[in-house]
Amino acid sequence: MRFTRPSRLRSTTSRPHRTRGHRVLLSASAVVAAAGLALPAVAGAAPAPKVDQRVLDSLGAFAPAIIGSVATPGPDGKVNAELLKQAESFATTPGMPAEVSKIWRSVADFLGEPGRKQAARELAAEAKPGDPDIPKGPNAPKIQEFLYPTFGLGCIPGGGSLGRALVTAGPQEAPAPGPKRGEGGYVYTALGTGPAIDNNAKPLTVSWFNVDTGRTGTTSLKRNAKINVKEGPGTFTAIARTGKGRVISAIHGNVTTKTKGQVVSCTIVPVIGLAII
């Protein structure tokens, strides 16, 4: 799997996460039909996503390990060796569907030496402060989508919502006001819902871990006043001060929107993303 660079987005600043015992939803109803995704304009048109129950069951179960690693880094202050060991184990599990094994292989490679080498190449080739700004062409920043579409049961009255997540690396303009150098901009969109509503009691949260520096944190994704605020779909954004390097993230928690005249809150199946910031 190729890890591409992202484009920018807005959000809140991150805060170091130091608590244990997060519990996350690990199952959801299977979704058979594909649906178009109305991401913010910055993300461009996206192909119709499908939610694969096997991916949700397998990768969703890995999200607590990521969240735990945010709270407890490895002895060297960087990636917890157990995280890489678990990803390697899942990647080589006999009988694992090919599509799921491919995703696990990408996670293991990202956490291991292949990911380290790719991050070093990309960061070395990155424009430095003072270099001319060239936003077009093959070196233009690209969206880094999370590994799979996810699902929130009850996000729509009487039904569920497909969800898509992405991250962009600063400096960029989106999500507004845009992440700076060394920051990641997160976006989560809940398909078919109305406009996003902030819910401090039951937030949508990203837990992130910089594999190369050991820096960790959690950041709440909030309603963005510049994205899909009238008709929806519910779009939540955040900016996290991750620092530069390989960042593995898990978005988890609740989506709250005003859909069909009702304020609706639902829990999503955690979704995992890999990004070079």
Side-chain angles (χ1 to χ4, degrees), residues 122-146:
E122 289 200 17
L123 294 176
E126 187 179 67
K128 305 298 186 298
D131 287 352
D133 183 14
I134 306 175
K136 299 179 180 180
N139 293 323
K142 295 179 175 63
I143 295 294
Q144 297 177 100
E145 291 203 54
F146 274 49

Side-chain angles (χ1 to χ4, degrees), residues 76-102:
D76 61 354
K78 297 185 180 181
V79 64
N80 191 315
E82 288 301 314
L83 198 65
L84 175 56
K85 185 176 179 181
Q86 185 175 351
E88 289 279 7
S89 175
F90 276 111
T92 57
T93 299
M96 184 78 75
E99 298 86 349
V100 183
S101 291
K102 184 177 180 181

Side-chain angles (χ1 to χ4, degrees), residues 35-144:
L37 175 60
L39 283 172
V42 64
K50 290 184 180 180
V51 170
D52 189 322
Q53 186 67 39
R54 300 168 302 176
V55 173
L56 291 183
D57 289 343
S58 183
L59 273 295
F62 190 58
I66 296 172
I67 297 166
S69 290
V70 169
T72 311
D76 61 354
K78 297 185 180 181
V79 64
N80 191 315
E82 288 301 314
L83 198 65
L84 175 56
K85 185 176 179 181
Q86 185 175 351
E88 289 279 7
S89 175
F90 276 111
T92 57
T93 299
M96 184 78 75
E99 298 86 349
V100 183
S101 291
K102 184 177 180 181
I103 294 177
W104 275 116
R105 183 72 264 161
S106 71
V107 173
D109 285 349
F110 183 82
L111 293 173
E113 189 64 9
R116 187 194 68 78
K117 289 181 177 178
Q118 179 172 352
R121 287 194 302 269
E122 289 200 17
L123 294 176
E126 187 179 67
K128 305 298 186 298
D131 287 352
D133 183 14
I134 306 175
K136 299 179 180 180
N139 293 323
K142 295 179 175 63
I143 295 294
Q144 297 177 100

